[in-house]
Amino acid sequence: MNFDPTYRSQKFRSVGTRPRRPDGIDKVTGRARYGADFNMPGQLVGRILRSPHAHARIVRIDTARAEAVKGVKAIVTASDLPDLTNGNQSLFNILDNCMARSKVLYDGHAVAAVAAIDANAAKQALKLIEVEYEVLPHVVDVDAAMLPDAPLIDKTLFTGGVEPTPETPSNVALRSEFGHGDIESGFAQADIVVERSYRTEQTHQGYIEPHACVASCNSDGTAELWVCTQGHFVFRQTCADLLGLDVSKLRVTSSEIGGGFGGKTHVWVEPVALALSRKAGRPVKLVMSREEVFRASGPTSATSIDVKIGARKDGTITAAAANLRYTNGPYADIWAELGAMTSFACYDLENVKTVGFEVLVNRPKVAAYRAPSAPMAAFAVESTIDELAQELGMDPVEFRIQNAASEGTKSSYGPVYGPIGIGPTLEAAQSHPHVKAPLGPNQGRGMACGFWFNFGGQTCTDLNVNVDGTVTLAVGTVDVGGSRASLSLIAAEELGIAYEDVKAVVADTATLGYNDMTDGSRGTFSSSMATISAARNAIGVMRHRAALQWDIPVEDVTWEDGNAKASGEKYGNLSPLSIKEIAAASGNTGGPIAGHSEMVADGAGVSFATHICDVEVDPETGSTRIVRYTVIQDAGKAVHPAYVEGQYQGGAAQGIGWALNEEYIYGEDGRLQNPGFLDYRIPVCSDLPMIDTQILEIPNPNHPYGVRGVGETSIVPPLAAIANAISNAVGIRMTHIPMSPPRILAALNRERNQ
Amino acid sequence: MVSVPVSTTINSDEVEFLCRADESLLDVLRNRLGLMGAKEGCGTGDCGACSVIMDGRIVCSCLVLGAEAEGRTIETIEGMADGNELHPLQKKFIEHAALQCGICTPGFLMAAKALLDANPDPTEEEIRFWLAGNLCRCTGYDKIVRAVADAAQEMRGKRA
Ligand code: FES
Ligand code: FES
């Protein structure tokens, strides 16, 4: 398939408009079916027993009494999920996280599961499962876990990425390093150097829909899974691997998804539900409680970060360095590495070095959370940049503009940038009315920048032209925030037909080729590329059919505005054939008309944003109110601007919650103390002002319409923007996120007592 | 445990059901009556995804017992539209893109309806405080507040 993804400037008819979304009516009438809204005949209720300890050896599990409870149909433990991972460590980690094997590694780690005819029987059975634990010393703090005498999560773990490999095990799984130039000589050239240390606490994605699935295993080795997920094809692969099923025999259907933000890219309960169903011989519905969601799914890393930046008096940064330590939960991943890559991505630096350390702790396995790892790094870097600007006596926006990366800059993580949006977002900020608005007492203004890579990845799409000339578009990327509307716009644009004539659906794993997750802001980027390719293929078929109808060579048929046209003088008397006419005749011209596409969507354009925020700090209570907030971000091309704005606003709101309130609080015993929305407080409607947005469009050269991913970058700048605003409001530099009232009050009191 | 017989009115229909004494109204709606529009986001009264209107008041159905529905009048999201004619709030939510994932939407619509029933001309601040019991993690609330204000304006126009 020779698809050319190169950007070409054009006048759009559909793209850039704001039509109603195709799933709107179902969602406002309560008809849309989410993870927990599906049932199967004879279905059982599944429940999971979880560890009350942060770290313990499992000595014995006795399920005999639980099995005797009336209505209990199956109980599974690790022995019902045998290790089929064949030395694949990351797959083994997933298995061990779904059901603890020899040790429990965090408060909330699954140890057993029950399937019963109703919730009461299941609950009763959970109480009767006897687990004998040998409690082990635990560690939850990132810096404490790195100390030489820290309790070891995994005694066989020796830090990777260092030469030579250490001789003693530790909780540091991996060291990674990025950068170029020579920071020592860079710092020597600096007139001013600012060096600071920061901490951020662990937060949760906080999707309102808990994880939920219905699993049904049949005796013939086939199975079905209905699940809320960001990637049903990936779930199929992982579940098939863990349960020893043929991939083709497991059919996964993605439900409507009630928020994911990265947290639904990982399997948690699904393999367990399948194991229960296999053992019970009946379908099993497994829905997590909110407490389970907090204790056992998704959080992001807690971090501890040192940043050092030096600049000359003229405002040129001469060197920048960061040392980043990220918790991973009990299993090694690459969270600090992502932090190390993104730290300085906004800037054009001659000398830069970042080092990341993946640290194991007795907390739940870290999952991706919207631009994973970037917000914490940006908090540390953008706070330091602000202080440096202050010391230089420069305007913070001006200072950033002077050092911003641009086309041709070698990024701090390696690649050389194409056309990018950091400069333009900063210039837009400079001329935005927000920066000139007056401030009241105890108010301050701050700004910060953010970056995210964006991904492309494997994508497969089918476009079927129906006999009436309307189009069904089957995509394999889950719609997390309106992508069915965006992709319908894309298909309509490319085919030259009305938006209303396209119906996009998310296909299940049995009806479409493999698709990667909806993550990395790739949903609309990659599926739109595949949709354009599929539409072009369908147009090829339709030109061919028109040529047949006219009995002229296909080379003489062009496609314009939803019609086949005969080109050239000699066919001047042939009136165009519309898509409807071609479709109506298809039965006689060669059968159904469809366009397919399979691709690795490369070239996801990197994304930059600048945020401006005004806060008001109450000096009596230390509480902070967001007074005004503006998001400026490059979208490449906004396909459906209302949903692009929605992504900007939603990410900003999550960042505001992270900055001001949200945090996992662990007790001395290593148990999570706030696993609920009452004590883990996400922003509510009365906490926030309107969130203004400005969409910039700097076309991505590697997408036919110039589209870039837009979903994630908006969560990156808020932590620092708010910290900078607080510093300008009350003169204190907060280095610990969240900047909750007690922390701010303590800082204010320290300041007053000095 | 013995079941309790309950007679109630849901979306103008008389409904009878049996439920356990400790069963929540949310579980009854979802598991016994097939009314799945109310969602369970927390089960502890903190998210508002399960909001329904009971005797004119907005309640978290996860905090109401099924047995408490006896003799009451309950409105759920399934009864909000008049047949195929959407309620102005439903229309405005779609028009303003006030939903992304949509899991919070039924709860927000019920809460917003209760607000406009009580106060047809709310200020932005009144809207924000009235809806503070409903969590949305996707939208940042901006478009939700606009949709509610716009629906209120349209409904006032109609009433006048
Ligand atoms: S489910 Fe009732 S308030 Fe959250
Ligand atoms: S739209 Fe997703 S929680 Fe509100």
Side-chain angles (χ1 to χ4, degrees), chain A residues 12-23:
Chain A
F12 292 107
R13 284 199 323 192
S14 296
V15 166
T17 62
R18 301 172 178 239
R20 295 187 184 146
R21 60 195 281 167
D23 50 331

Side-chain angles (χ1 to χ4, degrees), chain A residues 547-566:
Chain A
L548 275 176
Q549 277 180 263
W550 281 325
D551 197 19
I552 66 174
V554 66
E555 297 73 38
D556 291 337
V557 181
T558 59
W559 188 263
E560 264 172 63
D561 298 337
N563 295 293
K565 288 192 177 148

